[in-house]
Amino acid sequence: MNVPFVGQVPSDIVVSWIASALIGLFVLWWLTKYNKWPVIWEYIRTTHHRKIGTMYILVAIIFFIRGGMDALFIRTQLAVPENDFWVFQSQKYNEVFTTHGTVMIFFVAMPLLIGLMNVAVPLQIGANDLAFPYLNAVSFWLFVAGGFIFNMAFFFNAAPNAGWTAYAPLSTDTFTTGPNNNYYIFGLQVSGLGTILTAINMIVTIFRLRAPGMKLNHMPLFPWATLLTSFLILIAFPVLTIALLLLTFDRYYGTSFFIGEMGDPVYWQHLFWIFGHPEVYILILPAFGIFSDIISTFSRKKVYGYTSMVIAIAIIGLLGFMVWAHHMFTVGLGPLANSVFAITTMLIAVPTGIKIFNWLFTMRNGVVRIRTPMLFALGFIPTFVIGGVTGVMLAVAAADYQYHDSYFVVAHFHYTMIGGTILGAFAGIYYWYPKMTGKVLDEKLGRWHFWLFLIGFHLTFMPQHFAGLNGMPRRVYTYSWEDGIFLLNFISTVGAFLMGASMLFVAWNLYKTHRLTDPVGGDPWDGRTLEWSVGSPSPEHPFEPVNQVDRLDAFWHAKVKGEEVPKAEDARPSPIAVKTLQPVILSIILVFMSIGFIYHWISLQVLGGAAVIAYLIIRSITDERKEVYEKEEEG
Amino acid sequence: MKQTSDVLFQDKKMGFFLYLIVEAIMFAVLFATYIIFTPASQGPDPSEVYKWKTVVLTSVFLLSSSGTLLIAEKGLEKGNRTKIAAGLIATFVLGAIFMVLEIHEFYKYVHEGYSITVNNFLSSFYVLVGLHASHVAFGLGWMILLMVQFKQKIPQRLFIEKHKIFNYYWHFVDAIWVLIILIVYVPYLF
Amino acid sequence: MRIFSLLSLFLLTGCNLRVLNPKSDTADKITNLIYLSFGLMMLVFVVVMILFVHFLKKYKETPERLNEIPGDGKESKRLEVTWTVLPILLLAVLAVPTVKATYDMTSQVSGDGGEAKAEDAITIDVVGRQYNWEFTYENGKKSVNELVLPVNQKADFKLTSEDVIHSFWVPKLSGKIDVLPGEETRLSFTPREAGVYQGKCAEFCGAEHTQMRFETKVVSQAEFQQWLKNGVEEEGE
């Protein structure tokens, strides 16, 4: 196996190389002209949660553009029957939907949410930073490295092509030769490690760094969602790690866990979905948390049923581990297994319903102010309910024999993932934008973005339910006139381009906001939680001294009384911030090491391994605690 | 103000325990894999592959290394540098012997024709026990670094912190070995 | 507005959606379940929408209420219990027929190997491979990408794959069953109307997954017997 040279390189790749080179040159020129290099230098060495969170979101948006372009290619190819758009048929089409799915889940949805957690959670609980700032930088750079590895595949004409679920035996080297799915494995391994480390960081932060007096049930719901999500990550991601490890052995070292007479392809499905189903709750729970905070703020009321909201998140998380086989109803696990998993799946509707009603009743008797973040939260409710009810329909195991792997399922999970996670991420970005940059995004353009996106979204995905019911399987690159799904698909394509167009308003909004508007104060939304008590953008170590908190929405109640949040007397020491290049260097090492694995270059693998060990040693020796402890011992 | 080093150590301890949960789940999945694929429908049976002498020998060395590490921990508490050094060195030697025996075991198996690709029992055996062995190897490297730092002049509290974190790791790796004995070897040996 | 667009879509496509227009006993059952679950779920959706629109209208910020600070109020236990218990009841209504249908259908689908097959059922061996379907009948007749079935007679399928996982799907006649390498899955149904129906592979199986289609012809008993004989004679020649 070798990196292909020019010759039979498909034209989309050539175009991408040229486009990337031009954009790269432009960025370099821009950075130099406006003297932005010091900013870059500052950010790549930072361990500050707000800066890292901002970078998470920025990088996620870059991947979002990539995944979004994939989506538009998919929709263009499917716009009319028997279409031959550019190169996107057969294997090329398979590559596009594989990267679309993987990129959107792992390199867009996850980092957008983790980015928002980074920005908001420490501030919301009155902490000066995450518990392990250095580790946080490592997590971020591992995510970047993973995303880089995964996206690199396309540029070397080797994009993964076994679907984001990488079902065996298709994903083994017998049926998908070439480096394509090696990229998938190593991209996910590297970024997955980063995600696990983030989860640990969040849990410790929330357990140990809350402001004095703040009990767990004084926390806003976003930190709650973050805490429970982190536990889901902690349990689910290691399963993926091992599943990928076993797949690696099948692809590299001749074992046959998932293939052949001894192997069991269904075992891959079990492992993948034991990870994969909690994963979708990992993606949705933080969005729930964001919506809770936003709906409460913009209704000027405490969130309705706080306790039941927390319990509902916990139950959803718990049930999330007991429903994985509903992705496998048609495998033939037998009626008992199918019935049990059908019922547990249906049960998830109960806590989710509780949350929906609590949100609605938060608005009741409130003063509902409709600003862009709230608009996204309001758009979320009906959209997500549609996704939820189709979820219950899918849980009906026998009926799923019809829906399974059809466009009905495609419609369903886009309703939950876009209607929940992406709307949540947008809402959160609009909401906390002042905390990241010190400015509020333009309201009018925000509304344009919202309405175009929402209408485009429903146009895209509502018809897909019917395409599925009319017999359109997912992951097909074309269909015939007789299939009777032309109109449905055409509407879908129009909707997709509308969603694409709505993103142009985001770009315009960013430009306008930064060129034309003035900075705002610490509390532009009349907020309720602690992050609004500090300046915008949030300074490093903003709580010095830290607050004393004794109730939910402490900032709001102090504000109503015309007071400040009281300061704590005996606070714990804050985490240590450093400036370091080590995390970036680690991520570069891992990129090279992964390339060594992807192309079976053993010397590079060994070199990479040695470099990782060297990194660990240097890290231990240059531990930032050394100085602090030395001072302590002297004093 | 609470003592910085103490609070930060508690943070780190909690974080590391969470990390060990992650590791435990990874091993749990590999144990499940082993149980599912063993014995395999074809190829060698575990009972013809394993030798009880090797298992007992490796276990004696690895498990006693947890004991010698306790000596170092005692020394850590009392500030007795000799005990720390003795405990660490003993642990390292025992761990290293385990490593040699383990490599020898793998080598012998492969020589007898029981390589990783022969059947799924052997595949899952090598991945599981191999991952454990790599943890031991990593721990050995870690101990060397720890001993270097012991010699160096670093703040005492920092050394104690690093030592304690290592201790958790080593005991965890030992606990996994106990599970390997119980789940991997015992059902097919006795 | 959204409901309107939903309805208009229905009108556009009519009731010609294959899944909702079943032509076999099994597919009938599934379609009934789909309608039942859809009805129940629309109930939920409508309730949520009514509350949503109502609250939004009533509590929207107005110039007079700009500076009003509403009290937090207390949660009503009654309400919270209501929206916990009612959904459970609703789901129970759905769960009972779900389990029943799942047992009815799955015992046929995956077949525990028990030969409880109806006397007059025909058995067809199905082999899925990249990228075609091969059907073998009891008399040895083979056909590729063309499945011929007699009307009103039960058809039992035994399915297996030669390479990766596929999934056998005739939307008008039955739900899917995965076709796995090294394993045999089962499916059965009784078509009740003659006609030509589309069949597809529903599990992504590689480069030409899209083209892995077959045609299902449901014909009269006489035509079926004729067809069955033809094939074998041809092979014999």
Side-chain angles (χ1 to χ4, degrees):
Chain A
M1 265 171 274
N2 255 313
V3 183
F5 291 90
V6 201
Q8 291 183 332
V9 183
S11 54
D12 62 325
I13 292 172
V14 178
V15 171
S16 304
W17 271 107
I18 295 170
S20 308
L22 291 177
I23 294 170
L25 283 175
F26 173 77
V27 171
L28 288 182
W29 169 82
W30 186 86
L31 288 173
T32 312
K33 174 156 186 218
Y34 292 96
N35 200 18
K36 297 285 183 195
W37 286 108
V39 182
I40 302 271
W41 181 240
E42 159 71 24
Y43 268 72
I44 59 173
R45 293 179 308 148
T46 191
T47 58
H48 182 226
H49 71 94
R50 195 242 310 148
K51 288 178 181 161
I52 288 179
T54 311
M55 285 196 288
Y56 260 116
I57 293 169
L58 277 176
V59 177
I61 288 174
I62 294 172
F63 291 140
F64 196 26
I65 295 170
R66 198 257 153 112
M69 274 165 39
D70 284 344
L72 293 181
F73 291 142
I74 290 173
R75 284 316 323 164
T76 310
Q77 165 63 23
L78 291 178
V80 291
E82 283 144 28
N83 197 11
D84 270 328
F85 170 65
W86 203 357
V87 292
F88 300 108
Q89 296 86 38
S90 300
Q91 206 60 285
K92 253 315 202 184
Y93 182 85
N94 299 341
E95 291 176 5
V96 169
F97 75 66
T98 301
T99 49
H100 169 75
T102 317
V103 164
M104 286 300 197
I105 300 258
F106 292 98
F107 304 117
V108 177
M110 293 290 295
L112 280 179
L113 295 173
I114 290 176
L116 289 170
M117 288 176 190
N118 259 291
V119 170
V121 168
L123 298 176
Q124 288 192 309
I125 61 173
N128 277 318
D129 205 332
L130 287 177
F132 310 112
Y134 179 97
L135 187 70
N136 195 26
V138 171
S139 294
F140 169 72
W141 288 104
L142 287 180
F143 148 67
V144 175
F148 187 84
I149 294 165
F150 186 86
N151 280 278
M152 198 166 65
F154 166 78
F155 288 92
F156 293 106
N157 194 18
N161 54 11
W164 86 277
T165 50
Y167 269 18
L170 184 62
S171 57
T172 60
D173 58 337
T174 312
F175 296 104
T176 45
T177 50
N180 305 46
N181 291 308
N182 301 349
Y183 277 105
Y184 171 89
I185 292 174
F186 287 94
L188 293 198
Q189 286 293 40
V190 172
S191 69
L193 180 60
T195 310
I196 290 173
L197 297 178
T198 299
I200 292 172
N201 215 337
M202 292 288 167
I203 294 173
V204 177
T205 305
I206 291 172
F207 275 143
R208 294 189 42 87
L209 270 82
R210 274 170 289 128
M214 184 187 250
K215 294 190 184 130
L216 281 174
N217 62 359
H218 295 153
M219 291 197 302
L221 282 168
F222 185 49
W224 258 117
T226 302
L227 178 65
L228 293 166
T229 304
S230 301
F231 275 109
L232 294 190
I233 292 174
L234 216 55
I235 301 170
F237 268 75
V239 181
L240 177 69
T241 305
I242 295 300
L244 291 171
L245 179 73
L246 296 178
L247 185 62
T248 310
F249 272 85
D250 272 10
R251 284 185 72 88
Y252 282 72
Y253 307 117
T255 59
S256 55
F257 290 109
F258 304 125
I259 189 175
E261 272 174 64
M262 289 179 296
D264 183 3
V266 177
Y267 187 50
W268 167 265
Q269 297 185 21
H270 281 296
L271 289 181
F272 188 84
W273 290 117
I274 288 172
F275 149 75
H277 203 84
E279 165 70 6
V280 307
Y281 292 111
I282 290 166
L283 292 175
I284 200 66
L285 294 181
F288 284 174
I290 294 170
F291 289 128
S292 301
D293 285 1
I294 288 178
I295 292 175
S296 158
T297 300
F298 289 92
S299 303
R300 245 177 266 169
K301 264 185 74 207
K302 179 185 137 197
V303 73
Y304 193 89
Y306 176 88
T307 315
S308 62
M309 285 299 239
V310 173
I311 295 173
I313 302 179
I315 294 178
I316 294 174
L318 208 64
L319 284 174
F321 285 101
M322 302 181 207
V323 298
W324 79 88
H326 71 215
H327 296 270
M328 303 161 63
F329 278 152
T330 63
V331 168
L333 298 178
L336 178 64
N338 281 1
S339 298
V340 169
F341 281 100
I343 289 171
T344 51
T345 306
M346 284 180 189
L347 278 179
I348 289 189
V350 178
T352 315
I354 291 174
K355 295 192 76 74
I356 298 272
F357 285 110
N358 278 332
W359 284 317
L360 291 174
F361 276 71
T362 304
M363 297 198 294
R364 191 179 72 154
N365 295 330
V367 179
V368 180
R369 238 176 341 142
I370 300 182
R371 297 285 181 279
T372 315
M374 184 61 170
L375 208 50
F376 277 96
L378 292 174
F380 150 81
I381 290 177
T383 311
F384 192 78
V385 171
I386 295 177
V389 298
T390 52
V392 175
M393 291 171 71
L394 282 160
V396 179
D400 182 70
Y401 300 159
Q402 283 286 18
Y403 307 130
H404 187 83
D405 267 344
S406 77
Y407 258 77
F408 191 89
V409 174
V410 176
H412 160 74
F413 67 69
H414 282 94
Y415 262 85
T416 54
M417 289 290 99
I418 297 182
T421 309
I422 296 298
L423 289 184
F426 283 151
I429 290 172
Y430 279 96
Y431 185 55
W432 282 305
Y433 198 77
K435 277 298 148 225
M436 291 184 250
T437 64
K439 294 188 174 186
V440 172
L441 283 166
D442 186 75
E443 186 69 21
K444 199 169 151 198
L445 291 173
R447 278 164 197 258
W448 270 97
H449 170 214
F450 170 76
W451 284 109
L452 273 184
F453 188 83
L454 193 76
I455 293 170
F457 168 78
H458 283 282
L459 275 182
T460 312
F461 295 105
M462 185 53 80
Q464 293 186 356
H465 292 111
F466 302 101
L469 289 177
N470 208 7
M472 183 174 180
R474 66 193 280 201
R475 296 170 168 179
V476 293
Y477 63 82
T478 193
Y479 52 92
S480 67
W481 288 98
E482 298 83 65
D483 291 352
I485 46 177
F486 158 56
L487 202 57
L488 295 166
N489 273 289
F490 190 75
I491 297 171
S492 205
T493 303
V494 172
F497 276 91
L498 220 53
M499 287 166 83
S502 80
M503 296 313 291
L504 297 177
F505 283 88
V506 180
W508 184 8
N509 201 340
L510 290 174
Y511 176 79
K512 189 179 166 188
T513 304
H514 282 271
R515 290 300 295 273
L516 303 174
T517 56
D518 298 322
V520 291
D523 185 18
W525 307 115
D526 198 6
R528 308 176 67 81
T529 41
L530 285 177
E531 75 267 37
W532 306 110
S533 71
V534 303
S536 296
S538 72
E540 298 208 12
H541 288 230
F543 300 104
E544 261 163 6
V546 295
N547 294 315
Q548 178 76 35
V549 175
D550 54 0
R551 61 185 303 180
L552 181 64
D553 294 342
F555 174 58
W556 171 260
H557 291 287
K559 195 162 59 175
V560 170
K561 283 190 214 141
E563 294 166 359
E564 299 244 306
V565 186
K567 301 293 180 193
E569 283 176 1
D570 185 31
R572 52 156 288 159
S574 290
I576 307 164
V578 277
K579 292 214 178 305
T580 170
L581 267 181
Q582 288 174 10
V584 184
I585 292 169
L586 174 66
S587 93
I588 294 169
I589 294 172
L590 285 177
V591 168
F592 280 104
M593 191 170 156
S594 298
I595 293 174
F597 274 101
I598 289 163
Y599 288 101
H600 298 263
W601 295 331
I602 292 172
S603 47
L604 197 54
Q605 296 169 14
V606 174
L607 213 63
V612 169
I613 291 170
Y615 159 81
L616 290 172
I617 293 170
I618 291 169
R619 159 63 188 152
S620 182
I621 292 172
T622 57
D623 197 331
E624 68 273 5
R625 289 163 189 249
K626 199 165 158 184
E627 268 175 54
V628 178
Y629 288 13
E630 261 166 14
K631 260 183 218 152
E632 187 186 85
E633 277 177 14
E634 283 162 18
Chain B
M1 205 71 167
K2 290 159 187 155
Q3 190 153 28
T4 308
S5 58
D6 192 44
V7 174
L8 293 188
F9 169 64
Q10 293 301 330
D11 289 349
K12 195 168 173 180
K13 185 174 164 187
M14 185 186 218
F16 195 74
F17 272 70
L18 290 169
Y19 177 72
L20 290 182
I21 294 178
V22 171
E23 291 260 6
I25 292 167
M26 291 187 192
F27 276 107
V29 177
L30 286 178
F31 279 121
T33 309
Y34 178 84
I35 291 168
I36 288 171
F37 289 117
T38 310
S41 54
Q42 44 183 278
D45 190 79
S47 53
E48 24 179 312
V49 178
Y50 300 151
K51 304 280 177 297
W52 69 269
K53 265 189 204 157
T54 333
V55 179
V56 171
L57 211 59
T58 46
S59 302
V60 164
F61 283 108
L62 192 63
L63 297 182
S64 59
S65 79
S66 244
T68 52
L69 195 58
L70 288 177
I71 300 174
E73 281 171 54
K74 268 267 160 53
L76 217 49
E77 265 169 44
K78 300 233 169 88
N80 183 338
R81 286 180 67 92
T82 334
K83 268 193 177 174
I84 298 177
L88 267 182
I89 290 170
T91 310
F92 181 85
V93 171
L94 291 170
I97 295 175
F98 168 86
M99 213 45 222
V100 171
L101 290 173
E102 188 80 356
I103 292 169
H104 177 72
E105 185 191 359
F106 281 16
Y107 180 80
K108 216 174 67 190
Y109 287 170
V110 173
H111 239 72
E112 288 166 4
Y114 304 132
S115 71
I116 187 166
T117 53
V118 169
N119 69 6
N120 270 356
F121 140 62
L122 284 164
S123 305
S124 42
F125 168 81
Y126 277 110
V127 175
L128 169 59
V129 181
L131 186 69
H132 176 267
S134 64
H135 274 74
V136 176
F138 187 84
L140 292 176
W142 193 342
M143 261 190 278
I144 295 176
L145 183 61
L146 206 57
M147 285 189 261
V148 172
Q149 284 170 327
F150 182 61
K151 280 267 182 185
Q152 269 181 345
K153 275 187 65 158
I154 67 169
Q156 198 193 354
R157 288 185 165 276
L158 188 61
F159 178 75
I160 294 176
E161 175 175 318
K162 287 181 184 298
H163 198 314
K164 279 189 173 167
I165 298 289
F166 170 76
N167 292 346
Y168 305 139
Y169 174 82
W170 193 258
H171 291 312
F172 171 80
V173 172
D174 254 17
I176 294 292
W177 180 255
V178 173
L179 289 176
I180 289 180
I181 299 172
L182 291 178
I183 297 172
V184 174
Y185 291 112
V186 166
Y188 303 99
L189 271 179
F190 304 104
Chain C
M1 192 197 80
R2 207 162 287 124
I3 295 176
F4 174 71
S5 64
L6 205 145
L7 279 176
S8 63
L9 269 172
F10 253 129
L11 292 176
L12 279 174
T13 46
C15 278
N16 289 325
L17 295 175
R18 290 184 175 83
V19 167
L20 301 182
N21 196 13
K23 302 289 184 208
S24 86
D25 59 335
T26 326
D28 280 342
K29 274 188 212 156
I30 296 183
T31 309
N32 291 337
L33 265 177
I34 292 177
Y35 279 124
L36 172 70
S37 59
F38 181 71
L40 288 174
M41 288 300 113
M42 280 320 280
L43 198 71
V44 176
F45 182 66
V46 168
V47 170
V48 171
M49 282 316 282
I50 289 173
L51 287 175
F52 179 72
V53 172
H54 174 69
F55 287 166
L56 210 52
K57 269 191 181 157
K58 192 162 171 196
Y59 301 109
K60 210 179 142 181
E61 187 180 60
T62 51
E64 306 90 74
R65 301 179 66 211
L66 262 185
N67 295 314
E68 187 187 320
I69 295 175
D72 280 344
K74 264 240 164 269
E75 282 88 1
S76 146
K77 276 262 145 40
R78 280 239 304 280
L79 281 174
E80 295 203 67
V81 170
T82 312
W83 62 58
T84 310
V85 173
L86 278 185
I88 293 180
L89 291 178
L90 210 65
L91 288 177
V93 172
L94 186 57
V96 172
T98 297
V99 172
K100 190 175 177 307
T102 305
Y103 265 87
D104 280 2
M105 236 170 271
T106 316
S107 51
Q108 304 166 9
V109 169
S110 61
D112 27 35
E115 293 303 304
K117 95 169 205 191
E119 292 264 307
D120 56 344
I122 58 161
T123 307
I124 299 158
D125 288 317
V126 182
V127 174
R129 63 173 81 93
Q130 290 175 326
Y131 302 95
N132 63 53
W133 296 94
E134 186 182 88
F135 305 101
T136 309
Y137 289 78
E138 280 159 280
N139 68 345
K141 161 134 186 167
K142 285 182 194 291
S143 90
V144 172
N145 288 347
E146 187 191 45
L147 173 64
V148 180
L149 297 174
V151 72
N152 288 330
Q153 186 179 7
K154 190 171 177 191
D156 277 336
F157 298 89
K158 294 180 179 176
L159 309 98
T160 190
S161 164
E162 276 185 2
D163 37 50
V164 300
I165 301 176
H166 304 279
S167 192
F168 176 93
W169 188 28
V170 186
K172 282 199 172 192
L173 296 180
S174 96
K176 298 165 199 75
I177 184 70
D178 286 0
V179 181
L180 303 158
E183 241 170 283
E184 188 182 90
T185 47
R186 301 280 185 100
L187 177 76
S188 62
F189 55 80
T190 313
R192 59 169 163 72
E193 212 177 289
V196 180
Y197 307 110
Q198 291 187 338
K200 288 160 187 177
C201 173
E203 179 68 67
F204 174 58
C205 61
E208 292 305 330
H209 162 60
T210 309
Q211 309 296 351
M212 193 169 158
R213 291 177 161 218
F214 60 95
E215 204 162 65
T216 309
K217 291 184 183 145
V218 177
V219 297
S220 72
Q221 194 58 245
E223 282 173 277
F224 176 70
Q225 293 304 338
Q226 184 60 37
W227 179 84
L228 210 54
K229 252 184 264 162
N230 273 345
V232 180
E233 273 167 16
E234 271 166 30
E235 258 173 36
E237 276 166 14

